[in-house]
Coordinates of all heavy atoms in Angstrom, one line a residue:
Chain V
F235 N 10.0 22.4 0.7 CA 10.2 21.2 -0.1 C 10.5 21.5 -1.6 O 11.3 20.9 -2.2 CB 9.1 20.2 -0.1 CG 8.8 19.7 1.3 CD1 7.6 19.6 1.9 CD2 9.9 19.2 2.1 CE1 7.3 19.1 3.1 CE2 9.7 18.7 3.4 CZ 8.4 18.7 3.9
R252 N 14.9 26.0 2.4 CA 14.8 24.6 2.6 C 13.9 24.2 3.7 O 13.6 25.1 4.5 CB 16.2 24.0 2.8 CG 16.9 24.5 4.1 CD 18.2 23.8 4.3 NE 18.8 24.2 5.5 CZ 19.5 23.4 6.3 NH1 19.6 22.1 6.1 NH2 20.1 23.9 7.4
P253 N 13.5 23.0 3.9 CA 12.6 22.6 5.0 C 13.3 22.7 6.3 O 14.5 22.7 6.4 CB 12.3 21.1 4.7 CG 12.8 20.8 3.3 CD 13.8 21.8 3.0
G254 N 12.6 23.0 7.3 CA 13.1 23.1 8.7 C 12.1 22.9 9.7 O 10.9 23.1 9.5
P255 N 12.5 22.6 11.0 CA 11.6 22.3 12.0 C 10.8 23.5 12.5 O 9.9 23.3 13.3 CB 12.5 21.8 13.1 CG 13.8 22.3 12.8 CD 13.9 22.5 11.4
M258 N 6.7 23.1 10.7 CA 6.3 21.7 10.7 C 5.1 21.5 9.9 O 4.1 22.2 10.0 CB 6.1 21.2 12.1 CG 7.5 21.0 12.9 SD 8.5 19.7 12.1 CE 7.7 18.2 12.7
M259 N 5.1 20.4 9.1 CA 4.0 20.1 8.2 C 3.3 18.8 8.8 O 4.0 17.9 9.2 CB 4.5 19.8 6.8 CG 3.5 19.3 5.8 SD 3.0 20.6 4.7 CE 3.7 20.0 3.2
N263 N -1.7 12.0 4.7 CA -1.5 10.6 5.1 C -0.6 10.3 6.2 O 0.1 9.3 6.3 CB -1.2 9.8 3.8 CG 0.0 10.4 3.1 OD1 0.5 11.5 3.5 ND2 0.4 9.8 2.0
A265 N 2.3 10.4 7.4 CA 3.7 10.3 7.2 C 4.4 10.0 8.5 O 5.5 10.5 8.9 CB 4.3 11.6 6.7
L266 N 3.9 9.0 9.3 CA 4.6 8.5 10.4 C 5.4 7.3 10.0 O 5.1 6.7 9.0 CB 3.5 8.0 11.5 CG 2.6 9.0 12.0 CD1 1.5 8.3 12.8 CD2 3.3 10.0 12.8
L267 N 6.6 7.1 10.7 CA 7.4 6.0 10.3 C 6.8 4.7 10.9 O 6.6 4.6 12.1 CB 8.8 6.2 10.8 CG 9.5 7.5 10.3 CD1 10.9 7.7 10.9 CD2 9.6 7.4 8.8
P268 N 6.4 3.8 10.0 CA 5.6 2.6 10.5 C 6.4 1.7 11.4 O 5.7 0.9 12.1 CB 5.2 1.9 9.2 CG 6.2 2.4 8.2 CD 6.6 3.7 8.6
W269 N 7.7 1.8 11.4 CA 8.5 0.8 12.3 C 8.7 1.4 13.7 O 9.3 0.8 14.5 CB 9.8 0.5 11.6 CG 10.4 1.6 10.9 CD1 11.2 2.5 11.5 CD2 10.3 1.9 9.5 NE1 11.6 3.4 10.5 CE2 11.1 3.1 9.3 CE3 9.6 1.3 8.4 CZ2 11.2 3.6 8.0 CZ3 9.8 1.9 7.2 CH2 10.5 3.0 7.0
L278 N 11.9 10.8 17.9 CA 12.9 11.1 16.9 C 12.9 12.5 16.5 O 14.0 13.1 16.2 CB 12.6 10.2 15.7 CG 13.5 10.3 14.4 CD1 14.9 9.8 14.8 CD2 12.9 9.5 13.3
A279 N 11.7 13.1 16.3 CA 11.6 14.5 16.0 C 12.3 15.4 17.0 O 13.1 16.3 16.7 CB 10.2 14.9 15.8
S282 N 16.1 15.0 17.1 CA 16.7 15.6 16.0 C 16.8 17.1 16.1 O 17.8 17.7 15.7 CB 16.0 15.2 14.7 OG 16.7 15.7 13.6
R312 N 2.4 0.9 17.4 CA 2.9 1.3 16.1 C 1.7 1.9 15.3 O 0.6 1.6 15.6 CB 3.4 0.1 15.4 CG 4.7 -0.5 16.0 CD 5.8 -0.7 15.0 NE 7.0 -1.0 15.6 CZ 7.5 -2.3 15.7 NH1 6.7 -3.3 15.3 NH2 8.6 -2.5 16.3
A314 N 0.4 1.2 12.6 CA -0.5 0.2 12.0 C -1.6 -0.2 13.0 O -2.7 -0.7 12.6 CB 0.2 -1.0 11.5
R328 N 3.7 15.2 17.0 CA 5.1 15.3 16.5 C 5.4 16.7 16.0 O 6.5 17.2 16.3 CB 5.3 14.2 15.4 CG 6.7 14.4 14.7 CD 6.9 13.3 13.7 NE 6.0 13.4 12.5 CZ 6.0 12.6 11.5 NH1 6.8 11.5 11.5 NH2 5.2 12.8 10.5
Chain H
D385 N 7.1 10.9 1.4 CA 6.7 11.5 2.7 C 7.7 11.3 3.8 O 8.0 12.2 4.6 CB 5.4 10.8 3.2 CG 4.2 11.5 2.6 OD1 4.3 12.6 2.0 OD2 3.0 11.0 2.8
Y386 N 8.3 10.1 3.9 CA 9.3 9.8 4.9 C 10.5 10.7 4.7 O 11.1 11.2 5.6 CB 9.8 8.3 4.9 CG 8.7 7.3 5.1 CD1 8.9 6.0 4.9 CD2 7.4 7.7 5.5 CE1 7.9 5.0 5.1 CE2 6.4 6.8 5.7 CZ 6.7 5.4 5.5 OH 5.7 4.5 5.7
N388 N 10.5 13.6 3.2 CA 10.1 14.9 3.5 C 10.1 15.2 5.0 O 10.6 16.2 5.5 CB 8.7 15.2 3.0 CG 8.7 15.5 1.5 OD1 9.7 15.8 0.9 ND2 7.5 15.5 0.9
V389 N 9.7 14.2 5.8 CA 9.8 14.3 7.2 C 11.2 14.4 7.7 O 11.6 15.3 8.5 CB 9.1 13.1 7.9 CG1 9.4 13.0 9.4 CG2 7.6 13.1 7.7
R391 N 13.7 15.6 6.0 CA 14.3 16.9 5.6 C 13.7 18.0 6.5 O 14.5 18.8 6.9 CB 13.8 17.2 4.1 CG 14.6 16.4 3.1 CD 14.0 16.6 1.7 NE 14.2 17.9 1.2 CZ 13.5 18.5 0.2 NH1 12.5 17.8 -0.3 NH2 13.7 19.7 -0.2
M392 N 12.4 17.9 6.9 CA 11.8 18.9 7.7 C 12.5 18.9 9.1 O 12.7 19.9 9.7 CB 10.3 18.5 7.8 CG 9.5 19.6 8.4 SD 7.8 19.1 8.0 CE 7.5 17.7 8.9
L393 N 12.8 17.7 9.6 CA 13.4 17.6 10.9 C 14.9 17.7 10.9 O 15.6 17.7 11.9 CB 13.0 16.2 11.6 CG 11.6 15.9 11.9 CD1 11.4 14.5 12.3 CD2 11.1 16.9 13.0
R394 N 15.4 17.8 9.6 CA 16.8 17.9 9.4 C 17.5 16.7 10.2 O 18.5 17.0 10.9 CB 17.4 19.2 9.8 CG 16.7 20.4 9.0 CD 17.6 21.6 9.0 NE 16.9 22.6 8.1 CZ 16.8 23.9 8.4 NH1 17.3 24.3 9.5 NH2 16.1 24.7 7.7
L395 N 17.1 15.5 9.9 CA 17.7 14.4 10.5 C 19.2 14.3 10.1 O 19.5 14.6 9.0 CB 17.0 13.1 10.0 CG 15.6 12.8 10.6 CD1 15.2 11.3 10.2 CD2 15.5 12.9 12.1
S396 N 20.0 13.9 11.0 CA 21.4 13.7 10.7 C 21.5 12.5 9.8 O 20.6 11.7 9.7 CB 22.2 13.5 12.0 OG 21.8 12.3 12.6
D399 N 21.0 9.4 11.8 CA 19.6 9.1 12.2 C 18.7 8.7 11.0 O 17.9 7.8 11.0 CB 18.9 10.4 12.8 CG 19.2 10.5 14.3 OD1 19.6 9.5 14.9 OD2 19.1 11.6 14.8
N403 N 17.0 5.2 11.1 CA 15.6 5.3 11.3 C 14.7 5.3 10.1 O 13.5 5.1 10.2 CB 15.3 6.5 12.2 CG 15.8 6.4 13.6 OD1 15.3 5.5 14.3 ND2 16.7 7.2 14.0
V404 N 15.3 5.6 8.9 CA 14.5 5.6 7.7 C 15.0 4.6 6.7 O 14.3 3.7 6.3 CB 14.4 7.1 7.1 CG1 13.6 7.1 5.9 CG2 13.9 8.0 8.1
P407 N 15.4 0.6 7.9 CA 14.1 -0.1 8.1 C 13.2 -0.2 6.8 O 12.5 -1.2 6.6 CB 13.4 0.7 9.2 CG 14.3 1.7 9.7 CD 15.5 1.7 8.8
A408 N 13.3 0.9 6.0 CA 12.5 0.9 4.8 C 13.0 -0.1 3.8 O 12.3 -0.6 2.9 CB 12.5 2.3 4.2
P483 N 11.2 -4.7 10.2 CA 10.4 -3.9 11.2 C 9.0 -4.3 11.1 O 8.4 -4.4 10.0 CB 10.6 -2.5 10.6 CG 11.0 -2.6 9.2 CD 11.7 -3.9 9.1
G484 N 8.4 -4.6 12.3 CA 7.0 -5.1 12.3 C 6.1 -4.0 12.0 O 5.9 -3.1 12.7
D485 N 5.4 -4.0 10.8 CA 4.3 -3.1 10.6 C 3.1 -3.8 10.2 O 2.3 -3.4 9.3 CB 4.7 -2.0 9.5 CG 5.4 -2.7 8.3 OD1 5.5 -3.9 8.3 OD2 5.8 -1.9 7.4
E486 N 2.9 -4.9 10.9 CA 1.7 -5.7 10.6 C 0.4 -5.0 11.0 O 0.4 -4.2 11.9 CB 1.8 -7.1 11.2 CG 1.8 -7.1 12.8 CD 3.0 -6.6 13.4 OE1 4.1 -6.6 12.8 OE2 3.0 -6.3 14.6

Side-chain angles (χ1 to χ4, degrees):
Chain V
F235 294 135
R252 60 171 183 146
M258 283 299 280
M259 172 106 107
N263 48 0
L266 299 171
L267 299 176
W269 39 82
L278 179 65
S282 180
R312 292 231 172 97
R328 173 175 67 184
Chain H
D385 273 352
Y386 300 170
N388 281 346
V389 168
R391 288 170 68 197
M392 195 163 66
L393 295 171
R394 301 203 178 137
L395 287 191
S396 64
D399 277 342
N403 289 298
V404 181
D485 46 2
E486 67 283 342

